[in-house]
Amino acid sequence: MAYLAHRLGPSRIVLPGVSVIRLLGSVGMDDMGLSMSRSPLERLDFDNVALRKLPLDSSEEPGVRQVKGACFSRVKPQPLTKPRFVAVSHEALALLGLSGEEVMNDPLGPEYLSGSKLLPGSEPAAHCYCGHQFGQFAGQLGDGAACYLGEVKVPPGQDPEQLRENPSGRWEIQVKGAGLTPYSRQADGRKVLRSSIREFLCSEVMYFLGVPTTRAGSVVTSDSRVIRDVYYSGHPRHERCSVVLRIAPTFLRFGSFEIFKETDEHTGRRGPSYGRDEIRGQMMDYVIEMFYPEIQQNYPDRVERNVAFFREVMLRTARLVAQWQCVGFCHGVLNTDNMSILGLTLDYGPYGFMDRFDPDFICNASDNSGRYSYQAQPAICRWNLVKLAEALAPELPPDRAEAVMDEYLDLYNGFYLENMRKKLGLLNQDEPEDEILITELLQTMHNTGADFTNTFRSLSQISCPNAGESEEEEDVRKAADLLLEQCANLEELKAANKPTMDPRELAMLLSMAQSNPALFQMISDRTTIARQLDRLSKLKDLMETSQEELKIKQAEEWSRWITRYRKRLARELEGQCDVQAVQEERVRVMDSTNPRVILRNYIAQNAIEAAENGDFSEVQRVLKVLEKPFSSQPGLELPAWVGGGEATEQGERDEGEEQQQASTSTARTPVPYDSKPPAWANEICVT
């Protein structure tokens, strides 16, 4: 009633001899319109099925502990000091039937969406799961910072396509960064502004790129502080506690089923619910009934149902990773606990979109072995599926799971080629040689250091040859000039090919590989060494090359590929009556498949630095740009701070807070959102 009294306060009427209670009692609540004065968030209709259908931890003991025989533990989110919005996603909040504008203007909005105040009907809980991290079973993990608030019923009038993708009829909402849970291990359950902004923005850009993903409704920051050592360099600093609102049909993952794992032969760890096989069956029933109802209806036999379920998860995962590869996205931490049971992109940590094409691209600076590199992702997802199959046994017979996994590679390749053909505008014919053409394109991009996103975006500008055309050489030259703009110069290539390993360490490991192979395998691997030697070889060649020689070589490589590409485009026109219409459709499909702008690290970094200095306008602007990644948006080509424009939303600093150095971003030369990254972007380190 404090909020209500505040709303009624300025216009209160006092009648002599009539109590306020009696006055309110004489007027119907509906007549007063009080239901309309509530926070829009208080009208959310919760139906928390997961907590009714899956085992709930009976203990509410605070602190970190092993949780046996349960999928969820009740928790109490820890309030933030002076929570306030950084940004909201209007489209994501609409899934819950909310208006982004109303939520932003709601005085209680930041409290509710940070977990500082409990939403009516919510039941805060943390999910228990395990996981294989970097190939090793880690035992109990769980939601160490995320907090399940509940499941909101889908509002009337939701897009039928959304309902098809979420047949449960409910959206699970979480707050990430709301404090300690039984699964926080040595951490504090908090997230900071930089990681929260990165997760918020990427969750949304993936959706707008057409990649299956969990969503983010808002990001809230506060005056509460935690200490973080950003680069693990021994220089910790205070950072603002921040919280992301996450939305998905469910956040259950492969690792959810690993809580039953027997003692691992390598790590000696086992799942906290080992031996509780009945819970595994209960979980499978819940997931299939809620999120795969067609499988539940079509397979009365339990084993056949479970096999069909696993096949669908495998198919969705293959399709997902194919989409990642086609937009140059690298997840960074593809542990089994970060793999969605629905085939969604889940848990945005040290992710990265590739700039210069490099199959060995590693976005996570902590991934020293390159286990989760760009080119490794399809194989790692397959490995994770095998671990899921092991976790589902005996509900899923191992021999049946193996037969399903035999389909993975062909399915992945099919999804990948289908996407790549669209990116190249090859729409009317599927030719066996297309795979070679795609491979040669990627090899040329790698050799020339071409920008992945911008090179694909430029391909629609390469003309399709017409019958009897006599200017073939000139058209190829123009196309090559176009793509050369996206290539790296000599100094950039030298920096890119510099070995990441100290020469003395490399020499020692090479010697050890010969003299003591067993010890070598314990501390390194041949793939890592081969990668370092390849870099050394390329660097040696570059040191003996001039910029002019490099440019000539790059032009020759691109001219060869463009000639083959235009011949393939010509075959697209064979037998077509309306050549112009075919060409226009090709350009339309390519420009709606190859994004103009993606969330490059430097774009996110500019927004983070501005927000850390109290200016949230760049986060909001970047979100607006990324909501239409395939389109040109006049007036939104450059960051908000270019030209000294006023920020649209300012945060307040603490009194006496030492102002950070003026946003480093404002001192940098601005580049458009759709350009290649500036030189300083190479210094960004994400762990």
Side-chain angles (χ1 to χ4, degrees), residues 14 17 27 83 85 89 139 203 226 238 260 263 281 332 345 368 370 401 423 476 547 552 622 640 642 664:
V14 180
V27 182
F85 282 123
S89 168
S203 299
V226 287
H238 284 91
F260 314 105
T263 303
T345 313
N368 297 319
K423 291 174 78 69
V476 170
Q547 176 61 44
I552 291 170
V622 168
V642 175
T664 332

Side-chain angles (χ1 to χ4, degrees), residues 421 430-438 568 571:
R421 284 191 173 104
D430 290 354
E431 297 188 2
E433 293 79 10
D434 290 348
E435 194 168 350
I436 297 172
L437 184 69
I438 292 164
R568 175 65 181 85
R571 294 199 293 277

Side-chain angles (χ1 to χ4, degrees), residues 118-132:
L118 285 188
L119 286 160
S122 66
E123 298 181 74
H127 176 42
C128 180
Y129 54 81
C130 293
H132 282 78

Side-chain angles (χ1 to χ4, degrees), residues 3 39 41 77-85 103 106-119 149 175 178 218 220-221 243:
Y3 179 47
S39 162
L41 293 161
Q78 296 165 284
L80 295 174
T81 303
K82 291 181 66 176
R84 52 195 174 275
F85 282 123
V103 171
D106 180 359
L108 295 178
E111 291 187 71
Y112 277 135
L113 297 188
S114 65
S116 300
K117 186 177 178 69
L118 285 188
L119 286 160
L149 290 182
V175 281
S218 64
V220 171
T221 194
V243 174

Side-chain angles (χ1 to χ4, degrees), residues 206-241:
M206 291 294 268
Y207 171 75
F208 291 108
L209 286 170
V211 180
T213 179
T214 58
R215 303 293 300 276
S218 64
V219 58
V220 171
T221 194
S222 71
D223 286 353
S224 300
R225 303 291 182 126
V226 287
I227 295 177
R228 293 288 186 268
D229 188 347
V230 185
Y231 301 114
Y232 306 104
S233 61
H235 298 93
R237 64 185 176 98
H238 284 91
E239 297 191 59
R240 292 184 184 277
C241 295

Side-chain angles (χ1 to χ4, degrees), residues 501-512:
M501 190 179 289
D502 184 280
R504 291 168 296 182
E505 182 184 358
L506 180 58
M508 180 196 71
L509 289 172
L510 285 169
S511 174
M512 187 184 297

